[in-house]
Amino acid sequence: MDKLYLSKSKYCRAVQCNKMLWMDKNKPECAEELDNESVFENGTKVGILAKELFGPHIDISYQEDLTKMLEETKKCLLSPPNVITEASFEFDGNFCSVDILRNFADGLEVYEVKSSTEVKDIYLEDISYQVYVLKSLGYNVKKACIVYLNNEYERHGDLELDKLFSIEDVTKIAFSKFEEVGKKIADTREYMKQTEEPTDDIGTKCFNPYQCAYWKYCTRNLPENNVFQIRGMKTNTKFNLYFNGLIDFKDLVNEDLNKKYIEQMEYELFDKEDTINKAHIKNFLNKLYYPLYFLDFETYQQAIPEYDGIRPYMQIPFQYSLHYVQNENGELLHKEFLANANEDPRRKLAERLVLDIPTDACVLAYNMKFEKGVIKNLAETYADLSEKLMQIHDNIQDLMEPFQDRDYYTKDMHGSYSIKYVLPALFPYDKELDYHALPVVHNGGEAMTVFASLGEKTKEEQERIRHGLLEYCKLDTLAMVKIWEKLKAVVR
Ligand code: SF4
Protein backbone atom coordinates (compact mmCIF):
# COMPACT_ATOMS: atom_id res chain seq x y z
CA MET A 1 0.00 0.00 0.00
CA ASP A 2 1.25 3.50 -0.86
CA LYS A 3 2.49 5.58 1.98
CA LEU A 4 0.06 8.37 2.81
CA TYR A 5 1.48 11.73 1.83
CA LEU A 6 0.18 14.40 4.20
CA SER A 7 -0.10 18.10 3.50
CA LYS A 8 -1.24 21.07 5.59
CA SER A 9 -4.81 20.79 4.36
CA LYS A 10 -4.97 17.00 4.66
CA TYR A 11 -3.62 17.20 8.19
CA CYS A 12 -6.23 19.82 9.10
CA ARG A 13 -8.99 17.70 7.61
CA ALA A 14 -7.82 14.75 9.70
CA VAL A 15 -7.82 16.98 12.79
CA GLN A 16 -11.46 17.82 12.11
CA CYS A 17 -12.41 14.19 11.38
CA ASN A 18 -10.31 11.22 10.32
CA LYS A 19 -13.20 9.81 8.39
CA MET A 20 -13.34 12.93 6.24
CA LEU A 21 -9.82 12.23 5.02
CA TRP A 22 -10.67 8.56 4.50
CA MET A 23 -13.71 9.54 2.43
CA ASP A 24 -11.62 12.00 0.38
CA LYS A 25 -9.33 9.15 -0.55
CA ASN A 26 -11.82 6.32 -0.99
CA LYS A 27 -15.27 7.74 -1.69
CA PRO A 28 -14.89 11.36 -2.84
CA GLU A 29 -17.96 11.00 -5.06
CA CYS A 30 -20.13 11.00 -1.91
CA ALA A 31 -19.25 14.63 -1.12
CA GLU A 32 -21.88 17.27 -1.65
CA GLU A 33 -20.94 20.45 -3.43
CA LEU A 34 -20.69 23.28 -0.93
CA ASP A 35 -20.64 26.92 -1.97
CA ASN A 36 -17.05 27.92 -1.14
CA GLU A 37 -16.02 29.60 -4.36
CA SER A 38 -16.00 33.18 -3.17
CA VAL A 39 -14.14 32.17 -0.01
CA PHE A 40 -11.48 30.57 -2.17
CA GLU A 41 -11.26 33.63 -4.43
CA ASN A 42 -10.84 35.86 -1.39
CA GLY A 43 -8.20 33.51 -0.01
CA THR A 44 -6.14 33.72 -3.19
CA LYS A 45 -6.19 37.52 -3.35
CA VAL A 46 -5.29 37.85 0.31
CA GLY A 47 -2.44 35.35 -0.08
CA ILE A 48 -0.95 37.22 -3.01
CA LEU A 49 -1.09 40.57 -1.23
CA ALA A 50 0.28 39.28 2.07
CA LYS A 51 3.41 38.15 0.26
CA GLU A 52 4.29 41.83 -0.11
CA LEU A 53 4.26 42.35 3.66
CA PHE A 54 7.97 41.80 4.22
CA GLY A 55 9.26 43.40 1.04
CA PRO A 56 11.07 41.66 -1.82
CA HIS A 57 10.71 37.89 -1.80
CA ILE A 58 11.56 34.79 -3.79
CA ASP A 59 8.51 32.75 -4.77
CA ILE A 60 8.75 28.98 -5.07
CA SER A 61 6.20 28.38 -7.77
CA TYR A 62 3.94 25.36 -7.58
CA GLN A 63 5.14 22.33 -9.51
CA GLU A 64 3.46 18.98 -9.79
CA ASP A 65 6.76 17.34 -9.00
CA LEU A 66 7.07 18.45 -5.40
CA THR A 67 10.71 17.42 -5.18
CA LYS A 68 11.53 20.34 -7.47
CA MET A 69 9.92 22.72 -4.98
CA LEU A 70 11.91 21.12 -2.18
CA GLU A 71 15.17 21.48 -4.09
CA GLU A 72 14.50 25.11 -5.00
CA THR A 73 13.70 25.88 -1.37
CA LYS A 74 16.96 24.33 -0.21
CA LYS A 75 18.89 26.52 -2.62
CA CYS A 76 17.14 29.70 -1.47
CA LEU A 77 17.75 28.85 2.16
CA LEU A 78 21.48 28.97 1.50
CA SER A 79 21.50 32.74 1.13
CA PRO A 80 20.02 34.40 4.19
CA PRO A 81 18.69 36.88 4.99
CA ASN A 82 15.79 36.58 2.54
CA VAL A 83 12.04 36.09 2.36
CA ILE A 84 10.74 32.99 0.60
CA THR A 85 7.09 32.45 -0.25
CA GLU A 86 5.74 28.91 -0.62
CA ALA A 87 9.04 27.54 0.74
CA SER A 88 8.47 23.78 0.72
CA PHE A 89 9.61 21.07 3.10
CA GLU A 90 9.07 17.38 3.57
CA PHE A 91 9.72 15.16 6.55
CA ASP A 92 8.85 11.48 6.44
CA GLY A 93 5.94 11.88 4.02
CA ASN A 94 4.71 15.10 5.64
CA PHE A 95 4.84 17.93 3.15
CA CYS A 96 4.20 21.61 3.68
CA SER A 97 4.58 24.88 1.83
CA VAL A 98 5.02 27.84 4.15
CA ASP A 99 3.06 30.90 2.96
CA ILE A 100 5.83 33.30 3.99
CA LEU A 101 9.17 32.24 5.41
CA ARG A 102 11.69 34.75 6.76
CA ASN A 103 15.08 33.14 6.50
CA PHE A 104 17.78 34.46 8.82
CA ALA A 105 21.27 33.10 9.42
CA ASP A 106 20.25 31.99 12.92
CA GLY A 107 16.83 30.52 12.11
CA LEU A 108 13.44 30.76 10.41
CA GLU A 109 10.20 32.62 10.95
CA VAL A 110 7.01 30.98 9.71
CA TYR A 111 3.98 33.04 8.65
CA GLU A 112 0.68 31.39 7.77
CA VAL A 113 -1.73 33.71 5.92
CA LYS A 114 -5.49 33.49 6.41
CA SER A 115 -8.25 35.51 4.75
CA SER A 116 -10.26 35.49 7.96
CA THR A 117 -10.55 38.40 10.40
CA GLU A 118 -9.74 36.32 13.49
CA VAL A 119 -7.37 33.55 14.54
CA LYS A 120 -9.35 30.32 14.62
CA ASP A 121 -8.27 27.19 16.51
CA ILE A 122 -7.81 25.23 13.28
CA TYR A 123 -5.17 27.75 12.13
CA LEU A 124 -3.12 26.83 15.18
CA GLU A 125 -3.27 23.18 14.08
CA ASP A 126 -2.17 24.20 10.61
CA ILE A 127 0.85 26.19 11.76
CA SER A 128 1.77 23.60 14.42
CA TYR A 129 1.96 21.00 11.65
CA GLN A 130 4.36 23.25 9.69
CA VAL A 131 6.51 23.88 12.75
CA TYR A 132 6.56 20.11 13.37
CA VAL A 133 7.83 19.44 9.84
CA LEU A 134 10.51 22.15 10.00
CA LYS A 135 11.73 21.24 13.47
CA SER A 136 11.80 17.54 12.61
CA LEU A 137 14.07 18.42 9.71
CA GLY A 138 16.40 20.13 12.18
CA TYR A 139 15.69 23.76 11.35
CA ASN A 140 15.74 26.33 14.10
CA VAL A 141 12.26 27.84 14.07
CA LYS A 142 12.44 31.18 15.84
CA LYS A 143 8.90 32.34 15.40
CA ALA A 144 5.49 31.16 14.15
CA CYS A 145 2.78 33.68 13.32
CA ILE A 146 -0.70 33.85 11.83
CA VAL A 147 -1.30 36.72 9.42
CA TYR A 148 -4.96 37.67 9.10
CA LEU A 149 -7.17 40.57 8.09
CA ASN A 150 -7.91 43.50 10.35
CA ASN A 151 -11.60 44.23 9.86
CA GLU A 152 -11.26 47.64 11.53
CA TYR A 153 -8.97 48.91 8.81
CA GLU A 154 -10.78 51.31 6.48
CA ARG A 155 -9.12 52.08 3.21
CA HIS A 156 -8.29 55.69 2.37
CA GLY A 157 -5.94 56.12 -0.58
CA ASP A 158 -3.31 53.44 -1.15
CA LEU A 159 -3.64 50.17 0.68
CA GLU A 160 -1.57 50.18 3.88
CA LEU A 161 -0.53 46.56 4.22
CA ASP A 162 0.77 46.97 7.75
CA LYS A 163 -2.69 48.18 8.82
CA LEU A 164 -4.71 45.82 6.62
CA PHE A 165 -3.02 42.76 8.10
CA SER A 166 -2.74 41.77 11.74
CA ILE A 167 0.02 39.42 12.84
CA GLU A 168 -0.38 37.19 15.86
CA ASP A 169 2.64 35.47 17.36
CA VAL A 170 1.61 31.88 18.18
CA THR A 171 5.12 30.46 18.62
CA LYS A 172 4.49 29.15 22.14
CA ILE A 173 1.34 27.30 21.16
CA ALA A 174 2.91 25.82 18.03
CA PHE A 175 5.95 24.62 19.99
CA SER A 176 3.79 23.14 22.74
CA LYS A 177 1.91 21.04 20.19
CA PHE A 178 5.00 19.30 18.79
CA GLU A 179 4.36 15.90 20.45
CA GLU A 180 0.63 16.10 19.79
CA VAL A 181 1.20 16.65 16.06
CA GLY A 182 3.59 13.69 15.86
CA LYS A 183 1.01 11.46 17.54
CA LYS A 184 -1.83 12.73 15.38
CA ILE A 185 0.17 12.02 12.22
CA ALA A 186 0.92 8.47 13.41
CA ASP A 187 -2.74 7.86 14.34
CA THR A 188 -3.95 9.23 11.02
CA ARG A 189 -1.60 6.96 9.08
CA GLU A 190 -2.90 3.96 11.05
CA TYR A 191 -6.50 5.01 10.51
CA MET A 192 -6.02 5.44 6.79
CA LYS A 193 -4.88 1.84 6.43
CA GLN A 194 -8.47 0.66 6.86
CA THR A 195 -9.90 -0.82 3.73
CA GLU A 196 -13.48 -1.14 5.04
CA GLU A 197 -15.38 2.11 5.45
CA PRO A 198 -14.87 3.35 9.03
CA THR A 199 -17.96 3.57 11.23
CA ASP A 200 -17.15 6.82 13.07
CA ASP A 201 -20.22 8.52 14.45
CA ILE A 202 -21.26 12.04 13.53
CA GLY A 203 -20.68 14.85 16.05
CA THR A 204 -20.24 18.59 16.36
CA LYS A 205 -17.02 18.09 14.38
CA CYS A 206 -19.24 17.76 11.28
CA PHE A 207 -19.82 21.53 11.45
CA ASN A 208 -16.74 22.75 13.22
CA PRO A 209 -14.50 24.32 12.06
CA TYR A 210 -16.05 23.76 8.62
CA GLN A 211 -19.25 22.19 7.41
CA CYS A 212 -18.37 18.74 6.15
CA ALA A 213 -19.38 17.83 2.62
CA TYR A 214 -20.12 14.23 3.68
CA TRP A 215 -22.88 15.20 6.11
CA LYS A 216 -25.70 13.97 3.88
CA TYR A 217 -23.86 10.73 3.26
CA CYS A 218 -23.03 10.10 6.92
CA THR A 219 -26.62 10.79 8.01
CA ARG A 220 -28.31 8.86 5.21
CA ASN A 221 -29.70 6.20 7.58
CA LEU A 222 -31.29 8.60 10.06
CA PRO A 223 -35.11 8.74 10.14
CA GLU A 224 -36.62 11.22 7.69
CA ASN A 225 -37.82 13.56 10.44
CA ASN A 226 -34.85 13.80 12.75
CA VAL A 227 -33.42 16.09 15.40
CA PHE A 228 -31.13 17.81 12.90
CA GLN A 229 -34.15 19.22 11.12
CA ILE A 230 -35.36 21.18 14.12
CA ARG A 231 -35.08 24.80 13.13
CA GLY A 232 -33.34 27.27 15.44
CA MET A 233 -32.01 24.70 17.93
CA LYS A 234 -28.30 24.97 18.82
CA THR A 235 -26.03 22.35 17.24
CA ASN A 236 -24.73 21.25 20.64
CA THR A 237 -28.27 20.67 21.91
CA LYS A 238 -29.12 18.63 18.83
CA PHE A 239 -26.10 16.39 19.35
CA ASN A 240 -26.89 16.01 23.08
CA LEU A 241 -30.34 14.73 22.13
CA TYR A 242 -28.88 12.56 19.36
CA PHE A 243 -26.35 10.91 21.69
CA ASN A 244 -29.16 10.23 24.16
CA GLY A 245 -31.03 8.32 21.48
CA LEU A 246 -33.59 11.08 20.99
CA ILE A 247 -33.41 11.30 17.22
CA ASP A 248 -36.81 10.80 15.65
CA PHE A 249 -39.49 13.51 15.84
CA LYS A 250 -41.78 10.76 17.21
CA ASP A 251 -39.62 10.50 20.33
CA LEU A 252 -38.64 14.14 20.57
CA VAL A 253 -42.17 15.48 20.45
CA ASN A 254 -42.82 14.20 24.00
CA GLU A 255 -39.70 15.83 25.44
CA ASP A 256 -39.57 19.01 27.47
CA LEU A 257 -38.34 21.27 24.66
CA ASN A 258 -38.96 24.84 23.55
CA LYS A 259 -42.58 25.34 22.44
CA LYS A 260 -41.52 26.35 18.93
CA TYR A 261 -39.59 23.11 18.38
CA ILE A 262 -42.51 21.01 19.61
CA GLU A 263 -44.83 22.97 17.35
CA GLN A 264 -42.64 22.33 14.28
CA MET A 265 -42.57 18.61 15.01
CA GLU A 266 -46.29 18.35 15.72
CA TYR A 267 -47.18 20.10 12.46
CA GLU A 268 -44.98 17.77 10.45
CA LEU A 269 -45.82 14.55 12.29
CA PHE A 270 -49.56 15.03 12.49
CA ASP A 271 -50.05 16.96 9.28
CA LYS A 272 -51.65 19.80 11.22
CA GLU A 273 -53.80 22.49 9.66
CA ASP A 274 -52.25 25.88 8.89
CA THR A 275 -52.28 28.52 11.62
CA ILE A 276 -53.64 31.84 10.50
CA ASN A 277 -54.07 34.37 13.28
CA LYS A 278 -56.27 36.81 11.41
CA ALA A 279 -56.42 39.47 14.11
CA HIS A 280 -52.64 39.71 14.38
CA ILE A 281 -52.15 39.68 10.61
CA LYS A 282 -54.72 42.47 10.29
CA ASN A 283 -52.83 44.51 12.89
CA PHE A 284 -49.69 44.06 10.88
CA LEU A 285 -51.35 45.04 7.60
CA ASN A 286 -52.89 48.09 9.23
CA LYS A 287 -49.41 49.45 9.92
CA LEU A 288 -48.76 49.64 6.17
CA TYR A 289 -49.82 52.55 3.99
CA TYR A 290 -49.56 53.86 0.42
CA PRO A 291 -47.47 54.48 -1.53
CA LEU A 292 -46.11 51.05 -0.64
CA TYR A 293 -42.60 50.05 -1.77
CA PHE A 294 -41.06 46.57 -1.65
CA LEU A 295 -37.30 46.82 -1.36
CA ASP A 296 -34.53 44.27 -1.64
CA PHE A 297 -30.75 44.86 -1.78
CA GLU A 298 -28.00 42.61 -3.03
CA THR A 299 -24.61 43.11 -1.46
CA TYR A 300 -21.15 41.66 -1.82
CA GLN A 301 -17.97 41.73 0.20
CA GLN A 302 -14.33 42.38 -0.52
CA ALA A 303 -11.67 40.76 1.63
CA ILE A 304 -9.24 43.39 0.35
CA PRO A 305 -11.00 46.78 0.20
CA GLU A 306 -10.79 48.11 -3.32
CA TYR A 307 -12.34 51.51 -2.67
CA ASP A 308 -12.01 54.31 -0.14
CA GLY A 309 -14.17 53.95 2.94
CA ILE A 310 -14.40 50.14 2.69
CA ARG A 311 -13.33 47.70 5.40
CA PRO A 312 -12.59 43.99 4.84
CA TYR A 313 -15.81 42.00 4.43
CA MET A 314 -18.06 45.03 4.77
CA GLN A 315 -21.43 44.58 3.04
CA ILE A 316 -21.30 46.64 -0.15
CA PRO A 317 -24.67 47.15 -1.81
CA PHE A 318 -24.52 46.92 -5.59
CA GLN A 319 -28.11 46.32 -6.62
CA TYR A 320 -31.70 46.80 -5.58
CA SER A 321 -35.13 45.98 -6.85
CA LEU A 322 -38.26 47.95 -6.05
CA HIS A 323 -41.82 46.95 -6.72
CA TYR A 324 -44.36 49.55 -5.71
CA VAL A 325 -48.03 50.51 -5.69
CA GLN A 326 -49.16 54.11 -5.39
CA ASN A 327 -52.59 53.49 -3.91
CA GLU A 328 -55.06 50.79 -2.98
CA ASN A 329 -56.06 49.82 -6.49
CA GLY A 330 -52.87 51.01 -8.11
CA GLU A 331 -50.95 49.14 -10.74
CA LEU A 332 -47.86 47.20 -9.69
CA LEU A 333 -44.79 49.09 -10.96
CA HIS A 334 -41.10 48.28 -10.88
CA LYS A 335 -37.73 50.06 -10.67
CA GLU A 336 -34.26 48.68 -10.31
CA PHE A 337 -30.61 49.56 -10.01
CA LEU A 338 -27.54 47.53 -10.85
CA ALA A 339 -24.05 49.01 -10.54
CA ASN A 340 -21.34 48.89 -13.16
CA ALA A 341 -18.52 46.44 -12.66
CA ASN A 342 -15.17 47.68 -11.32
CA GLU A 343 -16.38 50.82 -9.59
CA ASP A 344 -17.54 51.66 -6.10
CA PRO A 345 -21.30 51.14 -6.43
CA ARG A 346 -22.41 52.91 -3.28
CA ARG A 347 -22.68 56.58 -4.24
CA LYS A 348 -24.70 56.01 -7.41
CA LEU A 349 -26.90 53.47 -5.66
CA ALA A 350 -27.60 55.87 -2.78
CA GLU A 351 -28.39 58.74 -5.17
CA ARG A 352 -30.80 56.59 -7.15
CA LEU A 353 -32.43 55.18 -4.05
CA VAL A 354 -33.40 58.60 -2.70
CA LEU A 355 -34.84 59.48 -6.09
CA ASP A 356 -36.72 56.19 -6.45
CA ILE A 357 -38.33 56.03 -3.00
CA PRO A 358 -40.40 59.02 -1.84
CA THR A 359 -39.67 60.00 1.75
CA ASP A 360 -43.34 59.57 2.68
CA ALA A 361 -43.55 56.00 1.35
CA CYS A 362 -44.06 52.92 3.47
CA VAL A 363 -41.22 50.54 2.65
CA LEU A 364 -41.44 46.79 3.11
CA ALA A 365 -38.40 44.57 3.39
CA TYR A 366 -38.15 40.91 4.31
CA ASN A 367 -35.84 40.69 7.31
CA MET A 368 -35.55 44.47 7.56
CA LYS A 369 -32.47 44.39 9.80
CA PHE A 370 -30.39 43.82 6.70
CA GLU A 371 -31.94 46.56 4.53
CA LYS A 372 -31.88 49.02 7.44
CA GLY A 373 -28.22 48.24 8.08
CA VAL A 374 -27.31 48.89 4.45
CA ILE A 375 -29.19 52.21 4.36
CA LYS A 376 -27.72 53.36 7.69
CA ASN A 377 -24.20 52.69 6.40
CA LEU A 378 -24.93 54.70 3.26
CA ALA A 379 -26.34 57.55 5.37
CA GLU A 380 -23.20 57.58 7.49
CA THR A 381 -21.01 57.65 4.39
CA TYR A 382 -22.86 60.34 2.40
CA ALA A 383 -23.77 63.22 4.69
CA ASP A 384 -25.58 65.13 1.91
CA LEU A 385 -27.98 62.21 1.36
CA SER A 386 -28.21 61.22 4.98
CA GLU A 387 -31.51 62.90 5.86
CA LYS A 388 -33.44 61.35 2.99
CA LEU A 389 -31.83 57.97 3.46
CA MET A 390 -32.71 57.94 7.15
CA GLN A 391 -36.30 58.87 6.35
CA ILE A 392 -36.50 55.81 4.10
CA HIS A 393 -34.77 53.80 6.84
CA ASP A 394 -37.31 54.89 9.45
CA ASN A 395 -40.24 54.03 7.19
CA ILE A 396 -39.26 50.38 6.78
CA GLN A 397 -41.58 47.64 8.04
CA ASP A 398 -40.73 43.97 8.15
CA LEU A 399 -42.80 41.59 6.04
CA MET A 400 -41.18 38.75 7.95
CA GLU A 401 -43.02 39.74 11.16
CA PRO A 402 -46.20 37.63 10.76
CA PHE A 403 -44.10 34.57 9.96
CA GLN A 404 -41.54 35.16 12.67
CA ASP A 405 -44.37 35.46 15.20
CA ARG A 406 -46.00 32.37 13.66
CA ASP A 407 -49.22 34.27 13.07
CA TYR A 408 -49.10 32.50 9.74
CA TYR A 409 -47.57 29.06 9.91
CA THR A 410 -47.79 25.90 7.84
CA LYS A 411 -46.04 22.57 8.24
CA ASP A 412 -44.13 23.19 5.00
CA MET A 413 -42.31 26.12 6.60
CA HIS A 414 -40.44 23.49 8.66
CA GLY A 415 -40.04 25.81 11.61
CA SER A 416 -38.45 28.56 9.53
CA TYR A 417 -39.57 32.11 8.78
CA SER A 418 -36.94 32.65 6.12
CA ILE A 419 -38.39 33.64 2.75
CA LYS A 420 -36.72 30.54 1.27
CA TYR A 421 -39.17 28.39 3.25
CA VAL A 422 -42.14 30.72 3.50
CA LEU A 423 -42.47 31.33 -0.24
CA PRO A 424 -42.68 27.71 -1.45
CA ALA A 425 -44.92 26.90 1.53
CA LEU A 426 -47.40 29.59 0.48
CA PHE A 427 -47.10 29.08 -3.30
CA PRO A 428 -46.05 25.47 -3.83
CA TYR A 429 -46.92 25.18 -7.50
CA ASP A 430 -46.31 28.73 -8.70
CA LYS A 431 -43.83 28.56 -11.59
CA GLU A 432 -43.56 32.36 -11.63
CA LEU A 433 -41.94 32.21 -8.18
CA ASP A 434 -39.57 29.35 -8.89
CA TYR A 435 -35.97 30.46 -8.30
CA HIS A 436 -34.66 27.28 -9.96
CA ALA A 437 -36.18 28.42 -13.24
CA LEU A 438 -34.10 31.63 -13.30
CA PRO A 439 -31.46 31.85 -16.02
CA VAL A 440 -28.16 32.65 -14.25
CA VAL A 441 -28.49 33.61 -10.58
CA HIS A 442 -30.60 31.53 -8.19
CA ASN A 443 -29.64 32.77 -4.73
CA GLY A 444 -27.91 35.60 -2.87
CA GLY A 445 -24.60 33.72 -2.69
CA GLU A 446 -24.48 33.34 -6.46
CA ALA A 447 -25.41 37.01 -6.92
CA MET A 448 -22.48 38.00 -4.72
CA THR A 449 -20.02 35.75 -6.51
CA VAL A 450 -20.98 36.68 -10.08
CA PHE A 451 -21.01 40.40 -9.35
CA ALA A 452 -17.60 40.30 -7.67
CA SER A 453 -16.04 38.86 -10.84
CA LEU A 454 -18.20 40.72 -13.37
CA GLY A 455 -15.39 43.02 -14.52
CA GLU A 456 -13.25 40.07 -15.62
CA LYS A 457 -15.86 38.77 -18.09
CA THR A 458 -16.31 39.45 -21.79
CA LYS A 459 -18.89 42.01 -22.84
CA GLU A 460 -21.39 39.33 -23.93
CA GLU A 461 -20.89 37.39 -20.73
CA GLN A 462 -21.35 40.57 -18.69
CA GLU A 463 -24.67 41.21 -20.46
CA ARG A 464 -25.86 37.71 -19.70
CA ILE A 465 -24.87 37.97 -16.03
CA ARG A 466 -26.39 41.42 -15.62
CA HIS A 467 -29.65 40.15 -17.05
CA GLY A 468 -29.49 37.21 -14.62
CA LEU A 469 -28.85 39.51 -11.65
CA LEU A 470 -31.74 41.79 -12.59
CA GLU A 471 -34.14 38.85 -12.99
CA TYR A 472 -33.07 37.39 -9.67
CA CYS A 473 -33.44 40.58 -7.62
CA LYS A 474 -36.74 41.38 -9.34
CA LEU A 475 -38.09 38.00 -8.30
CA ASP A 476 -37.14 38.74 -4.69
CA THR A 477 -39.39 41.79 -4.53
CA LEU A 478 -42.12 40.16 -6.63
CA ALA A 479 -42.13 37.34 -4.08
CA MET A 480 -42.67 39.94 -1.35
CA VAL A 481 -45.59 41.45 -3.25
CA LYS A 482 -47.16 37.99 -3.57
CA ILE A 483 -46.72 37.32 0.14
CA TRP A 484 -48.31 40.67 1.01
CA GLU A 485 -51.24 39.89 -1.32
CA LYS A 486 -51.61 36.49 0.30
CA LEU A 487 -51.74 38.07 3.76
CA LYS A 488 -54.46 40.44 2.56
CA ALA A 489 -56.41 37.56 1.03
CA VAL A 490 -56.38 35.36 4.12
CA VAL A 491 -57.78 38.06 6.39
CA ARG A 492 -60.53 39.07 4.02
S1 SF4 B 1 -20.04 14.11 8.16
FE1 SF4 B 1 -19.05 14.12 10.14
S2 SF4 B 1 -18.53 12.01 10.53
FE2 SF4 B 1 -18.97 12.15 8.36
S3 SF4 B 1 -16.99 12.50 7.45
FE3 SF4 B 1 -17.87 14.47 7.81
S4 SF4 B 1 -17.13 15.16 9.79
FE4 SF4 B 1 -16.74 12.95 9.62
Side-chain angles (χ1 to χ4, degrees), residues 16-17 19-20 23 200-202 205-206 212 214-215 218:
Q16 181 169 351
C17 171
K19 186 173 177 185
M20 203 194 280
M23 293 291 292
D200 302 34
D201 203 354
I202 51 172
K205 63 180 177 180
C206 305
C212 177
Y214 299 107
W215 172 254
C218 288

Side-chain angles (χ1 to χ4, degrees), residues 168-338:
E168 192 162 321
D169 187 335
V170 294
T171 316
K172 263 194 189 161
I173 301 173
F175 280 23
S176 72
K177 280 179 170 281
F178 187 84
E179 305 282 323
E180 193 185 313
V181 175
K183 187 172 178 315
K184 177 68 194 168
I185 290 172
D187 290 349
T188 303
R189 290 190 187 286
E190 230 8 76
Y191 184 96
M192 293 298 285
K193 285 182 187 158
Q194 298 178 80
T195 47
E196 291 291 307
E197 183 178 327
T199 54
D200 302 34
D201 203 354
I202 51 172
T204 48
K205 63 180 177 180
C206 305
F207 301 96
N208 183 18
Y210 305 108
Q211 182 171 353
C212 177
Y214 299 107
W215 172 254
K216 256 198 184 159
Y217 176 80
C218 288
T219 53
R220 68 196 180 286
N221 296 326
L222 291 186
E224 198 189 328
N225 289 321
N226 65 63
V227 63
F228 298 106
Q229 271 133 20
I230 300 180
R231 191 72 40 182
M233 185 186 265
K234 284 194 180 137
T235 308
N236 278 341
T237 315
K238 289 180 184 179
F239 277 105
N240 279 341
L241 292 165
Y242 170 81
F243 290 128
N244 282 310
L246 294 163
I247 301 169
D248 199 316
F249 276 11
K250 283 186 208 129
D251 303 318
L252 288 158
V253 80
N254 301 315
E255 290 298 305
D256 181 21
L257 297 171
N258 179 306
K259 192 173 139 267
K260 286 204 165 174
Y261 307 149
I262 298 288
E263 202 174 59
Q264 181 197 340
M265 292 189 276
E266 283 180 347
Y267 270 72
E268 289 173 45
L269 277 177
F270 312 125
D271 216 0
K272 281 180 80 168
E273 288 284 302
D274 301 353
T275 287
I276 300 174
N277 187 334
K278 289 191 181 185
H280 286 191
I281 295 174
K282 261 188 197 162
N283 284 345
F284 170 76
L285 290 172
N286 285 340
K287 290 197 285 183
L288 313 181
Y289 52 91
Y290 296 96
L292 182 57
Y293 281 66
F294 300 81
L295 170 67
D296 182 67
F297 287 119
E298 297 304 325
T299 59
Y300 78 122
Q301 297 164 312
Q302 296 173 338
I304 311 287
E306 285 170 27
Y307 312 115
D308 281 359
I310 305 267
R311 293 184 305 280
Y313 296 109
M314 192 174 130
Q315 299 284 358
I316 308 169
F318 63 87
Q319 177 178 18
Y320 65 77
S321 169
L322 271 177
H323 273 93
Y324 61 104
V325 272
Q326 305 283 24
N327 49 52
E328 181 136 16
N329 299 311
E331 188 189 347
L332 180 66
L333 302 165
H334 182 251
K335 286 181 183 176
E336 60 197 356
F337 174 88
L338 174 57

